Amino acid sequence: MVRIQASGPIDMNERAAGPGNDRPPAEAARPAWDALLADWIDRFFGRLGVRGRVVMGQLPLSVTLFLVVVAAAIFSPEALADDTFRIAVLAHAALLGLCLAVPWGKLHPEAFTLIPVLDCVAIGFTRQAGGPSFNVLSLLLVFPVVWLSVSRHRHRVVLAILATVLSTVVPAVALGADPLQGSMIRTIFLPLVMAAIAVTAHVVAGALYRQRGTLVRKDRDLAATLAESVRRQRLLDAVLSTVDVGVWVVDASGQDVLTNRAMRTDPSLARLTPATGSPELFYGDRTTPVPPDGFPAVRASRGETFTNELYWAGEDTGQRAYSVSGRAIRSLDGTNTGAVVTFAEVTALINALAAKDNFVATVSHELRTPLTSILGYMELVIDEPGHEDIQAELRIVERNAVHLLGLVNDLIAVASENVELVLQETDMAGLLGAAVAAHHAKAALCGAALVLDTEEPLTARVDPVRIRQVVGNLISNAVKYSPDGGRITVRARRNGKELVCSITDTGTGMTKEDQEQAFAKFFRSARSRDTAIPGAGLGLPISKTIIEGHGGSISLTSAPGEGTTVSFVLPAADA
């Protein structure tokens, strides 16, 4: 911090820097001894009161004059024999005593200016009484002139210049000499030089005051920022130690930076950090180990973003499931500086879902047996003569039993997340054409135009029954959600070694929230429930299971009021 007390106190209204002031970065670069000295000066002046600062302002002149008297006693003892010279020296001593005795803190803040003005007059008498040999004492005027000038108040600069003039005029008049007959240097040049020194000191001091004020404000802002940072750090520590989600922060190279209490106390998670040595992490199948470069922390540190991915940690029966999310931490210029990974234990949820699926599968199997029997006996009844009058009713019963059996089979497939596939070379263009033809009548009832756009031939090794089920589900959904007509387009293209199929409608569309849940089991949007659109919420989940069973993928894009496109990709047969 800039310090300007070297020649004494600057202003009785100003307080010197206190001992607790922090130093700015520029000062931190100084040599250690310089910083220590500056801190000591700050503490010293911070403990001084108004009287102490007045004494410190007078002390440099008093010490210098004392040295002058000692030198005069050695080299010019005759000067000390002059009564006027001795009186002038005693006047300086009296002024120092006045600085020590007067309670300046109880007086007006401008009262102390009397001391440097009297100093100037006393210096003039000392120089006048000492004769030509002591003309050099005019340089002592620098002390009171600087004392008065280094202030924010401009009138003190004027007072310093007047005091310099008085130091020339008053002693000459009091001792019976003509002020105008003295040396030109003393009469004219000395006030001019002192005036220049006063103005320069005032300007420099003003700049230093402003710089000091700026540094003080920056110190306060820095202290406030530090306090806020500490407060936020404590808040973050409290939050991280309270949540039961494991939080792991790593740097750009994947090295451990921070882990919260949940991460450290969970035995399975604690083993994932480098400090514990032997991590055990598996993919969602619970058996495939995650390679070192596939660990969530490593992936996130590379800049990857992922949400709610399922991992298993631990060994054998002690494995625990975690929903893992990762986000990269980037600087203002976009540079990757690290990542945050969270581990939320979902073992109980996974077990509950597995129990639910087992229950659904068990009940579905139990339902399929009697339904199969019902359908068998229905065929016998329909074929038996004598039931011609109730033939239509029997066909309705059979049709609904077949529909119910299809739902049961879908429940079994969804619950097991696996379907049996019988793969064979299949003409996808013909399969899609047949599916479109089967839904033409239903689409016409809604006023929708059903269009097929395919390349021929399109050959893929698939289970035609299951793929026909997928295409039927998707076209049926497109028709159901196009109640006011529109256009439904079924497209298929070969893209390298892949076969890309899509069903696009211009119907009601889906919200972003609905899209996120579209492939969830039994999910139905609020609109479909409000408008009584039929369905069990199994079409998309079973389609996803079938497509992924073929080694493909399925996706959905939609916008409210603009329609929906569902696309699936299958491996194409070699051309």
Side-chain angles (χ1 to χ4, degrees):
M1 186 172 292
V2 178
R3 297 170 176 83
I4 49 180
Q5 293 98 336
S7 60
I10 294 166
D11 191 335
M12 295 303 103
N13 294 322
E14 298 298 321
R15 297 186 61 183
N21 289 344
D22 294 331
R23 291 171 292 160
E27 185 182 73
R30 296 177 182 173
W33 64 268
D34 191 9
L36 292 174
L37 177 61
D39 288 341
W40 180 85
I41 292 174
D42 264 356
R43 290 194 298 270
F44 176 76
F45 278 98
R47 290 192 295 265
L48 291 177
V50 177
R51 179 184 298 174
R53 291 198 290 272
V54 172
V55 171
M56 291 302 298
Q58 180 67 11
L59 197 59
L61 175 61
S62 300
V63 171
T64 304
L65 193 63
F66 172 75
L67 296 177
V68 169
V69 171
V70 172
I74 298 173
F75 301 105
S76 184
E78 65 277 4
L80 296 179
D82 185 84
D83 292 337
T84 304
F85 186 84
R86 288 199 299 270
I87 293 173
V89 172
L90 290 175
H92 285 288
L95 288 173
L96 179 61
L98 194 63
C99 292
L100 291 167
V102 174
W104 299 101
K106 298 180 180 180
L107 301 179
H108 190 277
E110 294 291 320
F112 84 99
T113 58
L114 179 64
I115 297 298
V117 171
L118 293 177
D119 280 336
C120 290
V121 176
I123 290 171
F125 273 103
T126 307
R127 180 196 60 218
Q128 189 78 20
S133 300
F134 286 86
N135 282 340
V136 71
L137 293 181
S138 296
L139 296 176
L140 294 179
L141 290 171
V142 170
F143 292 112
V145 166
V146 170
W147 186 3
L148 285 170
S149 301
V150 286
S151 165
R152 292 190 179 92
H153 305 292
R154 296 178 181 177
H155 69 272
R156 293 185 187 174
V157 178
V158 177
L159 186 61
I161 296 172
L162 291 177
T164 303
V165 176
L166 291 176
S167 71
T168 302
V169 175
V170 173
V173 173
L175 297 177
D178 185 358
L180 299 178
Q181 292 181 353
S183 169
M184 183 179 294
I185 293 177
R186 185 174 62 194
T187 306
I188 299 176
F189 291 164
L190 181 61
L192 289 176
V193 171
M194 290 302 160
I197 292 175
V199 172
T200 302
H202 178 74
V203 171
V204 172
L208 293 178
Y209 273 124
R210 289 189 294 273
Q211 184 179 5
R212 181 185 179 88
T214 300
L215 292 177
V216 169
R217 286 193 297 273
K218 288 183 177 180
D219 284 347
R220 290 173 180 170
D221 292 343
L222 182 60
T225 302
L226 178 61
E228 178 64 15
S229 177
V230 171
R231 187 189 71 81
R232 289 178 178 270
Q233 181 64 42
R234 290 175 178 172
L235 176 62
L236 178 61
D237 291 342
V239 171
L240 291 180
S241 62
T242 301
V243 298
D244 57 357
V245 175
V247 180
W248 187 6
V249 182
V250 296
D251 59 19
S253 60
Q255 297 300 312
D256 187 18
V257 174
L258 170 69
T259 54
N260 71 336
R261 181 182 57 82
M263 190 78 185
R264 295 189 298 271
T265 56
D266 188 324
S268 298
L269 294 182
R271 296 183 66 181
L272 301 180
T273 57
T276 56
S278 56
E280 290 288 344
L281 193 66
F282 301 89
Y283 287 114
D285 60 4
R286 304 184 67 170
T287 57
T288 305
V290 178
D293 61 349
F295 265 58
V298 177
R299 292 174 54 197
S301 65
R302 290 198 301 259
E304 293 186 40
T305 297
F306 46 91
T307 303
N308 297 332
E309 292 192 0
L310 181 64
Y311 288 89
W312 289 84
E315 299 176 348
D316 302 329
T317 58
Q319 279 188 336
R320 303 170 77 175
Y322 296 91
S323 175
V324 184
S325 300
R327 292 291 185 278
I329 303 173
R330 302 189 183 279
S331 60
L332 293 177
D333 60 359
T335 303
N336 185 23
T337 59
V340 178
V341 183
T342 60
F343 295 79
E345 186 184 356
V346 292
T347 308
L349 177 61
I350 294 297
N351 291 337
L353 291 175
K356 184 201 72 172
D357 289 341
N358 289 334
F359 172 77
V360 171
T362 301
V363 172
S364 300
H365 277 289
E366 294 300 322
L367 288 174
R368 185 163 61 176
T369 300
L371 279 172
T372 303
S373 178
I374 290 172
L375 285 171
Y377 281 105
M378 282 301 302
E379 290 180 4
L380 292 177
V381 171
I382 292 173
D383 293 338
E384 282 284 333
H387 299 103
E388 290 78 6
D389 56 337
I390 59 171
Q391 192 73 223
E393 289 80 0
L394 291 176
R395 291 294 181 185
I396 292 174
V397 173
E398 182 185 37
R399 185 167 60 253
N400 282 284
V402 170
H403 177 66
L404 184 57
L405 181 61
L407 288 177
V408 169
N409 289 332
D410 286 347
L411 284 173
I412 294 174
V414 169
S416 64
E417 295 186 352
N418 190 19
V419 291
E420 294 182 2
L421 301 175
V422 180
L423 302 180
Q424 54 183 286
E425 296 290 330
T426 303
D427 177 16
M428 288 295 298
L431 187 150
L432 293 174
V436 168
H439 287 82
H440 257 302
K442 187 176 181 180
L445 290 176
C446 298
L450 188 54
V451 179
L452 177 64
D453 179 12
T454 64
E455 295 178 349
E456 292 188 9
L458 288 175
T459 305
R461 186 171 178 78
V462 297
D463 185 327
V465 175
R466 288 298 187 179
I467 295 301
R468 189 178 297 111
Q469 180 181 0
V470 171
V471 176
N473 285 340
L474 300 183
I475 295 178
S476 177
N477 281 346
V479 173
K480 286 190 295 185
Y481 289 97
S482 300
D484 300 324
R487 183 182 179 89
I488 301 172
T489 304
V490 179
R491 291 188 179 90
R493 295 285 186 276
R494 184 185 182 97
N495 184 14
K497 295 184 177 181
E498 295 179 335
L499 189 67
V500 181
C501 300
S502 65
I503 291 85
T504 302
D505 66 69
T506 57
T508 57
M510 303 174 66
T511 65
K512 182 178 180 181
E513 292 75 15
D514 288 345
Q515 292 178 56
E516 293 175 352
Q517 299 291 326
F519 292 98
K521 303 170 187 177
F522 309 108
F523 171 77
R524 301 195 70 226
S525 67
R527 177 179 175 81
S528 64
R529 294 193 300 270
D530 295 341
T531 56
I533 296 176
L538 292 174
L540 287 178
I542 190 63
S543 298
K544 183 174 185 290
T545 300
I546 293 172
I547 294 300
E548 291 181 349
H550 282 80
S553 62
I554 187 170
S555 60
L556 180 148
T557 59
S558 183
E562 298 181 9
T564 302
T565 297
V566 182
S567 302
F568 62 89
V569 179
L570 294 170
D574 294 335

